[in-house]
Amino acid sequence: MVDVSAVMSALSAQRIELPSWAFGNTGTRFKVFAQPGVPRTPQEKVDDAAQVHAFTGVAPSVAVHIPWDRVDDFAAFAAYARERGVSIGTVNANVFQDDDYRLGSVANPDPRVRAKALSHLLECVDIMDATGSADLKLWFADGTNYPGQDSITARQERLAEALAAVYARLGPGQRMLLEYKLFEPSFYTTDVPDWGTSLVHCLALGPQAAVVVDTGHHAPGTNIEFIVAMLLRAGRLGGFDFNSRFYADDDLMVGAADPFQLFRIMHEVATAGALHPDAGVAFMLDQCHNIEPKIPAQIRSVMNVQEATAKALLIDTQALAAAQQAGDILAANAVFMDAYNTDVRPLLAELRTTMGIDPDPITAYHRSGYAEKIITQRIGGTAASWGS
Ligand code: RM4
Ligand code: MN
């Protein structure tokens, strides 16, 4: 039997981090479709993120991307966020948008470029000190396009050297989260292409380094929950960048393409007891809303994670373990699917009511008038986008 009150308390303790860049204009290499009312400043992105938290109750932090969210005074920026009921979360470094990085950043053959990239990463730790952020998230576009272009081994050496220098700069409560991505923008080799590479570097660095699983960064058909289970077992799952993919790194709303996969992932997390914020797994969204309205898309994404989590928590673990032990394949699968096929929306509506928020976050947001307000107020200036 499932203890529903324990499920409710786990769901109310859940925390999901929002990406500042989800609120800016984005698109593909073909076109960025500008939307009215989009934030012009990092502060306005925080304002929008605070709305998502206000209507969901479980999204109290916002990840920033440097330099897109550069401000003069990061401590004041953190205070600004706190006044709006949220905090500044993970600091994402960006060493992929400068002409100098044509041949890579920390793995570039040119020591001058490597030093420049390293100094940006160290600056990101300074920013963490000012904002009180615990996590530095590193994703490298580094790699090569053609066989023979550079030495695979030499690039790993350069990467390891830079990571060690950043790791040495971390304070006691700070972590380095190393993200991997199969390909793009590099098409032949990527320097951190998979969880194994990331894990090898993290293990060499020490306990404050952990792997980030961006759900969109895998080949089609990859069993992501297996990777999650392995990283949890090794104590090196630093967190998720949640999003959905149909084809490549689509960055669509989490749970939109494959809610069953998200459920299977959350089952591994729940089984390992890693759902609670204290467990050290950061549940972040990394999404771009190219054509849909951004704030409700973020609300929907948070709700999708909650629904997958609720279903995972509804698995009758005793019945599952008994069926597994008995080798009863069909019974075990039935226990699993019963939970997945449960409509958890009434349960989550009840949870929201007990949390003092509207049981229907999307409708409540639309009713609030915030979307109309930002369209009339945010006139002039430059709308935030990937470059700002
Ligand atoms: C990368 C990676 C990073 C994200 C950037 C914008 O593909 O997923 O996590 O910060 O995109
Ligand atoms: Mn990511």
Side-chain angles (χ1 to χ4, degrees):
M1 278 291 289
V2 174
D3 177 356
V4 177
S5 72
V7 172
M8 293 292 248
S9 92
L11 289 169
S12 66
Q14 186 169 34
R15 294 292 172 262
I16 297 161
E17 183 160 298
L18 309 175
S20 71
W21 53 100
F23 301 99
N25 283 324
T26 50
T28 64
R29 66 176 113 171
F30 301 107
K31 169 73 178 165
V32 172
F33 294 99
Q35 294 186 15
V38 153
R40 284 90 39 95
T41 61
Q43 287 81 0
E44 288 182 349
K45 293 181 201 173
V46 165
D47 293 345
D48 290 2
Q51 290 294 307
V52 177
H53 180 47
F55 289 102
T56 61
V58 294
S61 64
V62 47
V64 293
H65 217 294
I66 308 299
W68 302 343
D69 296 313
R70 195 183 289 290
V71 293
D72 292 335
D73 182 341
F74 278 98
F77 183 48
Y80 179 93
R82 274 196 302 277
E83 281 160 24
R84 277 142 195 88
V86 293
S87 63
I88 303 301
T90 306
V91 173
N92 287 253
N94 180 327
V95 282
F96 52 89
Q97 282 187 312
D98 195 290
D99 286 337
D100 270 337
Y101 299 138
R102 188 172 62 93
L103 300 179
S105 61
V106 291
N108 195 297
D110 182 345
R112 181 192 65 80
V113 177
R114 293 206 295 278
K116 171 177 168 167
L118 177 58
S119 102
H120 171 71
L121 303 184
L122 295 173
E123 183 207 356
C124 286
V125 187
D126 295 340
I127 291 170
M128 292 164 68
D129 290 342
T131 55
S133 300
D135 291 339
L136 172 68
K137 178 140 63 75
L138 303 179
W139 171 71
F140 297 106
D142 287 50
T144 65
N145 272 5
Y146 292 97
Q149 179 188 322
D150 198 358
S151 156
I152 291 174
T153 311
R155 294 186 71 91
Q156 288 298 316
E157 291 302 325
R158 299 172 200 142
L159 169 66
E161 196 181 306
L163 292 177
V166 179
Y167 190 86
R169 166 65 183 84
L170 294 177
Q174 295 175 334
R175 302 192 301 170
M176 176 198 286
L177 305 183
L178 183 56
E179 183 173 351
Y180 59 91
K181 181 176 175 179
L182 176 64
F183 83 102
E184 196 206 19
S186 297
F187 294 119
Y188 169 55
T189 60
T190 294
D191 292 323
V192 190
D194 52 31
W195 69 278
T197 308
S198 178
L199 181 61
V200 165
H201 282 288
C202 289
L203 290 173
L205 289 164
Q208 284 163 261
V211 181
V212 171
V213 175
D214 183 313
T215 45
H217 290 187
H218 303 87
T222 300
N223 185 333
I224 299 176
E225 62 269 27
F226 183 85
I227 297 170
V228 168
M230 292 297 288
L231 290 173
L232 283 166
R233 184 166 183 273
R236 296 295 178 134
L237 179 64
F240 290 96
D241 266 3
F242 279 137
N243 51 54
S244 280
R245 71 190 296 279
F246 284 100
Y247 300 104
D249 189 19
D250 304 348
D251 282 342
L252 298 173
M253 291 188 297
V254 57
D258 191 348
F260 185 43
Q261 178 189 61
L262 183 61
F263 161 78
R264 299 190 312 258
I265 290 171
M266 295 314 293
H267 167 60
E268 293 306 323
V269 172
T271 305
L275 199 55
H276 195 274
D278 296 343
V281 178
F283 300 91
M284 304 172 276
L285 306 181
D286 179 10
Q287 301 180 169
C288 295
H289 306 297
N290 299 350
I291 56 173
E292 66 276 28
K294 297 159 199 304
I295 297 170
Q298 285 284 292
I299 294 174
R300 167 60 62 201
S301 304
V302 169
M303 293 170 70
N304 287 352
V305 175
Q306 287 184 296
E307 286 175 19
T309 308
K311 290 179 182 205
L313 291 169
L314 285 178
I315 293 176
D316 185 339
T317 48
Q318 277 181 0
L320 183 64
Q324 289 172 346
Q325 192 58 40
D328 192 338
I329 300 164
L330 295 181
N333 183 242
V335 171
F336 208 75
M337 296 311 295
D338 279 347
Y340 178 65
N341 288 319
T342 307
D343 183 357
V344 294
R345 291 173 297 180
L347 182 94
L348 287 165
E350 193 187 322
L351 173 80
R352 293 183 186 112
T353 304
T354 61
M355 290 168 70
I357 58 174
D358 196 290
D360 180 351
I362 299 268
T363 306
Y365 169 73
H366 286 311
R367 217 176 29 231
S368 74
Y370 186 81
E372 292 76 13
K373 190 182 90 176
I374 54 178
I375 288 173
T376 52
Q377 287 183 352
R378 293 178 182 169
I379 306 291
T382 307
S385 188
W386 278 327
S388 58

